[in-house]
Amino acid sequence: MVTRPEVINHPVALAFRDPRQGQSVAACCHESQQHGIHPGMPLSEAISLCPDKLQVYPYDAPGDLEQLQHLATACKQFSPLVGVENIGTSFFRTGLSITDRQPQSLLVNITGTWSLFGNEQQVIRQVVRDFHRRGYTIHLAIAATTGAAWALSHFAYPRKPLGESSWFASFPAHDTDHTNTPSLAWILPSQHTREGLGELSPAALRIAEKTLQQLHQAGIETIATLYQLPRLSLSNRLGELLLKRLDQSLGAREECLDVYHSPTNFSVHQHLEHPTDNPQTIQWLILSLLESLAQSLTEHGQGVLQLDCHLQCVSRKTFQTSISLFEATIDPSHLDALLQMQWNHSFLQSPVQEITIVATCTAPLESYQRSLFHPLETDCFHPDSTSPQPQQPLNSRRLAHLVDLLSHRLGTGHVVRPRLRADAQPERAYQNIPWVTPGKQNRKRSLLHKRVSPDRTFPLPATRPLQLLSPPLRITFTVESANGPPSQFKYQQQHYCIEHTWGPERIETGWWRGPTIRRDYYRVQTTTGQRFWLFRERHHHHWHLHGIFC
Amino acid sequence: MYVELNCKTNFSFLQGASHPDELVTRAAQLGYTALAITDRNTLAGIVRAHLAAQEAGLPLLVGAEITPVDAPPCLLWAPDRSAYAALCRLITLGRRQAEKGQCYLTLDDISQHSSNLLAGINPCWNGPVPVAIPDGPSPLPTLAFTTAQHLAGYHAIFADRCYLLAELHDGSDDQQRSEQLIDLSQRVGLPLVATGNVHYHVAGRIALHDVLTAISQGATVADIGTRRFPNAQRHLRPLDQIRTRYRHFPGSLQRTLEIAQRCTFSLAELRYEYPEELAPNDLTPIMYLRQLARDGALQRYPEGIPVKVQQLLEHELKLIEELHYEAYFLTVWDLVRFARSQEILCQGRGSAANSAVCYCLNITSVDPETSDVLFERFISRERNEAPDIDVDFEHERREEVLQYLYTRYGRERAGMTAVVTTYRSRSAIRDVGKALGLSLDRVDIMTRNIEGSTRHASLEDTCRQANIEPGSPLGKRLVTLVDQLIGFPRHLSQHVGGMVITRGPLCELVPVENAAMEGRTVIQWNKDDLDTLGILKVDCLSLGMLTAIHKCFQLIEQHHGKQLELATIPADDKQVYDMICQADTIGVFQIESRAQMSMLPRLRPRSYYDLVIEVAIVRPGPIQGQMVHPYLRRRDGIEQVTYPNSAIRDVLKKTLGVPLFQEQAMRLAVVAAGFTPGEADQLRRAMGAWKRPGLIDQFRQKLLRGMRNNQLSETFAKQVFRQIRGFGEYGFPESHAASFALLVYVSAWLKHHYPAAFTVSLINSQPMGFYGIAQLIQDAQRHNVSALPVDISHSDWDCTLEFTRPTRSPLLRLGMRTITGLSWETADRIMQARSSGSFDGWQDFQQRTGLSRAALMLLAEADAFTSLGFHRRQAIWQALGHPVKEHPLPLFEKLGDPEEPLTNLPEMTLAEEVQADYRSANLSLKGHPLSCCRAYLDTRQVTPASRLSCLDDRHPVQVAGIVLIKQRPSNARGITFVTLEDETGTVNLVIHEKTWQNYQRIARHCHSWIAHGTLQLKNNVAHVVVDRLENLSETLEDLPIRSRDFH
C-alpha cells in the first residue's frame, strides 16, 4: 500500500507457493476479506471469488523484513533501543498463515526517553504521526514489560477499559485515506499490568498454538484464570514456555530486547566547498575517495562487485555512473580507470558540488599467494602502461581486469564467451553470455579456469564446423543433382565443385518453439579442398550454406 | 521385404509413443512381412499387439528388450513355446528381484534362461553406459569391460542365435557408423541385422515422444536437449526408405526374414490349464465334482432333492464336463471351503455362480429351486465364453484368502491380474502442461477444473480458463498432445481381486512381478488380455457388508442364542418387505443410497426378484437408456406390455418388456438384430469399456440394419439402440444383481429383527457403506435402540450390546473405535487392565494401563472418564499432568500424584459438549449441533426437516443442517444432490450447477448451511430445490464435521 498507492481501495492479495496446495494467499487486505478471501486459501479460489478486481502480487518475505528493519532504523528517533520482534521456533500464533511466521512487530524501549517528548501520551502521538506520514496505520501499546505491550497491541479490544487507569486512544488516519482502520494505542500503567493482562486471552502470551489449544480444551479462556492455577501443575502440563512468558509479561522474569543495528554501508562522500568542473580535480577527488572506500572494505575483507558514483552538480542535476566487475576487487586505480572510461562518453554541464561513491554490491575478496619472482603487479596493468612481459604467466586477476576494461570500453554485451547448449538445432547449440553482468549473480564468480571447461561432452566434434554463418545463407546452384547435394554451387561470387559428400544428417526439432525445423545436413568437400556445411530445408527444398570447416 | 525386429510400444512406459495396435496396423499397411514387439523388460502390451496382428493378418514376433545391469541391453525373440517360457521366466526373475516397476538382471541370469531364444545386441557406442542399480541384491564390481567383451559374452551365450543390430537414423555420421558396424561385425563374428529401433508408428509422434522423454526426465521439452532424438526417424519407415538406408549392409535385410522364419511361436499356442490336484488321486476331476455336488445337494435338501434341481444339476454337470470347466469349479469350491473353514463369510456371484452346482457346492446361497430358474446364461456351448464366478469375502479378512491361494499353489503358479492404469484427462494435462513448460499455477488451474472426469470434450474450455487460447500455437499443441496421451498406459497395478492359477508354472505363461503391496505378486496382463487368450481367473473380491453380516450373526448367536446363515434366513418375510417399501433402509446393503431410497416407494418390492430388479434399475445404464419410467408404468399397469415378436418376448418377459440387465441387452442384439454370439461378445466389451464412450456407436449401424432386416419398426430399433447405449454408461448384469439381492434381503431382515445388533455390526465394520456412524446411531435410535456413550469402564474397542435385565431390550454401547485417532493397542490395554477388576480412580486407571499422555488426552477429549467422576475438562486437565513419555521412571511409580485433582474448572455448556463430542468422534449422543441454535433458526423461519412433509408442494422453504453427503452423479447434468441433517431428520437438496457455482465457496467449504429454495413433494419424498445458500458454520462455530463426497 505504501509503495503502491495505485492499489488503494482495491482488493489485494499476496500469493506464495504452498508445497501442498500450490499457489495460495499469504495475506490479503481488508477489502478482499470482505469478498471472503482469507490467508491460506488457494489462489485460484481467491481469484474466483473476486474475478476481475483482485490484484495479486507475489509475497516477498525478505522484502517485508527489510522494510520492517528500515522502520526499526527510523524508530531510533524515539529511543536508541529498538528491536524487531524475535520469533522463536516454539511460537507462532496460528499455524494457518505464513505471514505469522515472520516478525511483524517492532519493540522500542522508551524507558527514560519518554520524558524527552513530554509524557507517554505525547510519545504515542509522535509515533503515530510519524507512521501516518509514512503511510502506515499501527497498533501500539506502552506497558511495563515487552510481553505486556505485545499482548495489548495484538489482543486488546478497542475502547474496552483495561484496568483502572489505562489509557486508550484511536487515531483516525486522516492523511492517508487508503483505509478506514484507525491506528490504535494503549497505555497500561505498570501497577496495573497484572489486572490489565488478566482480561486478555492466553493467546496474548505468545505461546505455541498447541498449548493454546490445550488451554482452550481445559476451559481456560483468560490469563486471569492462569493466575489462580498452581504454578507447578501449569508447567507440568503445559510446558515451561507458558510460565516463562507469563513471568516475562508480568515482569517477574527478564526479557532481553535484541537491538537492531543497520548493516554497514560501504559509501564515501565528499561535499565540495567550492564547486568545480575541473576534471583533474574531480578525478583526484574520486581517486582519494576510492582509496578510503578501499580502506573500509579491506577491514571487512570485502571487494567491490558493483559500484555507483553520483556527482551532484550545482545545477541540481545528478550525474550517475555505475560499474560492474567480473571479480571482486579493491584496487582504487582499476576502479578509477573504469569510471573514467564511462565519463569519456559524456562531459559535465555544471560544476560538481558533491561526490558520493557507494559499493552497492560486494563479495569476499580472494587472496592470492604472492610469488617471489612474478609479483602481482596489477597496478601496472593499465591501458596505457607497457605491454606485459611475455614470459609472465597470465594470472587470473590480470585477466579479470582485462575483462573489466574491455567490457566497459565495448559494452558488456560485446565481451562474451560462448557456452554450449544441448540443442539439436545448430544455431541454438551455443549461447553467448557476457563476462560481466550487473547484480548479485556475480558474487559466486571466481577463478576463470573453473568456468571455461565445457559442461558436457558432445559427440563427434568433427561433424560440426567451427564457423557458423548467421543466418544461414541461401545458395544457388549451377548444377543440381537428383539425390543429395548439388555438384556445383556459388558462394561469394565463386563457383565450387563438390567432390565428396557426407550425409544426410537429418535434424527435426524445435516444434515447441514454433514451426518444426526440418533439415537435411550435408558435409561437402570441394575440388579445391574446402569443406562446407550445407543443408536442405525439407519444407521447400531450398539449399543453405550454414558453416565452413576450417 | 523387411521385418521390424526392434519396436517399442507405449507399454515401455514413457519410451514408446504408440499403442501396440497402432504399430501393428501401420506395419501391415506398409507391407512389412512381420513385426516384433520388444518392450523393455515387459510383455504387458504383447496381447493387444497379438489381437491387432490377428485382425491385420500380420505375423507377430514375441520378444522383449532386456536390460542387464552389467552389459548392454539386448533384444530377445522367442522362436518357440519353450523359448517363450524362458523369456517369461527371465523377466519374472528380474522383476521379482527388484522394486515394483524395476527390473534387475545380470548377464549371468540371461545365460541361465537363454534356451532357444534369439538375441540381438545393440553395439550402442553412444548409448548410456550400463549402471548397476544401487539397491539391487548384490553389489556388482565396477564395470570395466569394453563393448567387444560384452559382445563376446553374448556370443558365448547365444552362439549362432546371436545377431548384431544395425541401426541407422540419419545421424551425424552414418557412413562412418556403417563402416564401424561392418568392421565390428567381422571382428566379433556376429552377423548384422537391420532394425529400426522403432518408438512410434508414424513420424508425427515425435512431439509426443519428446513430451514423454521430458516427463520421464522431470524436465521441460525445451530443456531435455540431447536426451531427445534429434529427428523423427524412429518410426516405422516405408520399405523403399529402408532399402536405401541399409544398402551398405549386405544381407542385413534378408536376415530379418530369416529371424522371422525361425520365430514360429504365436501367443495363440498358449494352452491354459487349470490345476488338477484338487481331486483325490483315484478320481478324475469331473468325478470328484459330481461327487461333491451330490453330497452338497443332499446337505442342502435334507428332505430329498427336488426333481427340478436334480435335472438342473445333471444338465449343468454335463455342460461342465463337455467344456472342461470342472477344474475351475473345483478351484472356486476349494477357495470357498477354505473360507468356510476359517469362518470367513463369502458369497459367489456372476454368470456361473447362480447355478445349481454352485448352490450345492456352497458357493452361493441363492436357492435355484425357489428362485425359479432365472439363469439361462449359465455357460453355453455356442458362446465360447469363459465361466465367470466372482466371490465376495468379508473385507477385513480377504487377505487371508489371497495368501491361502499363494501358499496353496505357490508364487510360481498363482498371481493377481494386473490393471493397466492409463492417462486420463487430468494426469495428461498435468504432465503435458509441465513438459511444455507451463507454469505450475496454470497447470493447477486446468487440472482443478477437470474434476476427475474422463471426458475431454471440454479441453478447449479448460485451456481458455487458464488463459490459453486453444487456437494459438501453444493451445493447439497442448490439445493435440493431451488428446494423444490420454489412454496411454502409465503403470501396472493390481486388479481388485482377480487371481490366475495354473497347473504348470505361471511364470512360464506370463511374467510375474511384484506389486506395490507387500506380499502380492501380479502378472503382466490385465483381464481383457486374459479373456483374449482364454485364461480363466477367479475374482476374490472384498465386501464390507459381508463383514457386517458375519459380525451380526455372531452377536445374535451370542446374545440371542440363535444360529443363522445366509441360506437359512427365513425368506419372504412380509414385515421386512414392508420396511423396504417405506424406504426405511439406512444401513441395508445396496438400497441405502438416496437414489435407491427414493426408488423404493415407487417400485414397492414385494419379492426376491423385485429386489434383483431394484438393485439393477438404479444404475446409470437404465436411467440414461430411459428404461426406468416405462418399467414403473408397466409395473403399475398404466402402460400395456407388448412385444414385437415372441423371441423378444422370451428375452424381456421377466422385466415387462424393458431391458434392465446387461444380459438382456446382449440377447436382444442376438435375437432382434441378428448378431452372432461373437459379435454380441464384442458388444459386451464395448459396453464394458465405458472409458471410451465412442466405441459403442460403432455398433449403431449394425444394430439398426439388423433390426430392420428382422422387420422391426424404426422406432423400436432406435429405442433398443438407446437402451444398449445406456448400458455402455454402466449397466448391471442380472447374475450379479441376483447375488446382491440376497444380501439386500438378509441385511434388511437383520435390520428389522435385530436393529441393535445390526447397527453394532455396521459400526464395527466401518469404513463401509453410505452413512457415517452418527447417522447409523440416529437411525437405530429411531428404531428404539438406546445408545450409551464411550466410557473406559464399559467400552470395548468394538461397539457392544448391553442388556438391562428387566426389559431385555439391548442397549448399544459405543466402542473406543469411534474415538478419532485412538489406536487399537490403547483400547486393548484398557480392556486387559479392566479384566482384573474395575478401575477405582484416576491413579488406579493410569497405573494399571500405563497409557501415554497422548492416549489419555484422546480418551479425555472423548469424555470417556465419567464413570470415574471426571467431567471432560477435568479429565483433560488430569491427562495433561502426565509426562509425554509413556513409562514413568519405576522409582516414582508408587509415589502417586502429589496434586489434588482440579475441581474448579468450569463445566461445559450443552452446546460446547456437543461440539467437543463432534470433534472427538464426529457424533454426539447428548444432542445435535443444530438444536443448540434452533432458537436462532426459528427467528430466521427455518423449517425443521420433520415438518417439511406437512407443507405444500412448491412451497418456498428454508432449511438448515449439517452437510452429510454431497453427490454429483455423472449422468445428472451437473446437478449436485446434498443431504442435510438437523436434529429432527434429513433433508434432500437438489442444487443446479448454476446455483452451485454462485455459492461455490459455501458449497465447497462450509459444513453447515441454511438453504433457501422450493419444496418438491413427490410420493411422500421431499426435496428442496435450492436457489440460495447461506453459511451456518459461523453460528455453529468450528465443528470439524466431515461430509462424505461422492463425485
Side-chain angles (χ1 to χ4, degrees), chain A residues 210-219 237-238, chain B residues 792 819-822 826 830 842 845-846 851-865 872-884 916 919-920:
Chain A
K210 194 175 157 236
T211 318
L212 208 56
Q213 232 172 29
Q214 288 168 338
L215 284 169
H216 175 73
Q217 280 178 335
R237 287 173 165 81
L238 302 162
Chain B
I792 46 111
I819 302 174
T820 314
L822 196 82
T826 306
I830 295 171
W842 181 274
F845 174 78
Q846 164 58 15
L851 289 177
S852 69
R853 182 205 250 197
L856 287 172
M857 276 300 278
L858 284 172
L859 289 166
E861 282 163 18
D863 202 12
F865 288 99
R872 192 184 320 247
R873 278 181 175 156
Q874 286 168 338
I876 289 173
W877 190 251
Q878 285 297 108
L880 279 175
H882 285 279
V884 179
R919 202 170 293 131
S920 155

Side-chain angles (χ1 to χ4, degrees), chain B residues 397-434:
Chain B
R397 303 188 60 190
R398 182 180 67 136
E399 191 60 27
E400 294 174 37
V401 180
L402 292 182
Q403 291 304 330
Y404 166 74
L405 283 177
Y406 279 131
T407 41
R408 165 112 211 189
Y409 301 100
R411 300 270 164 185
E412 287 252 294
R413 295 174 51 203
M416 291 203 86
T417 314
V419 168
V420 182
T421 311
T422 54
Y423 270 103
R424 299 169 69 172
S425 308
R426 187 195 284 253
S427 43
I429 289 177
R430 175 168 295 276
D431 280 2
V432 172
K434 275 194 212 162

Side-chain angles (χ1 to χ4, degrees), chain B residues 848-909:
Chain B
R848 277 160 60 190
T849 57
L851 289 177
S852 69
R853 182 205 250 197
L856 287 172
M857 276 300 278
L858 284 172
L859 289 166
E861 282 163 18
D863 202 12
F865 288 99
T866 40
S867 61
L868 297 184
F870 290 93
H871 68 67
R872 192 184 320 247
R873 278 181 175 156
Q874 286 168 338
I876 289 173
W877 190 251
Q878 285 297 108
L880 279 175
H882 285 279
V884 179
K885 279 189 72 177
E886 193 157 318
H887 292 290
L889 299 171
L891 195 62
F892 302 106
E893 204 167 90
K894 297 284 175 233
L895 272 175
D897 196 346
E899 291 175 62
E900 285 292 302
L902 207 64
T903 46
N904 58 351
L905 287 171
E907 263 191 72
M908 285 182 167
T909 62

Side-chain angles (χ1 to χ4, degrees), chain A residues 48-49, chain B residues 991-1003 1027-1029:
Chain A
S48 72
L49 285 175
Chain B
I991 305 179
H992 291 286
E993 199 169 10
K994 194 96 195 303
T995 321
W996 180 271
Q997 267 165 8
N998 285 348
Y999 298 95
Q1000 203 179 25
R1001 196 174 71 85
I1002 299 173
D1027 49 47
R1028 190 155 74 84
L1029 286 179

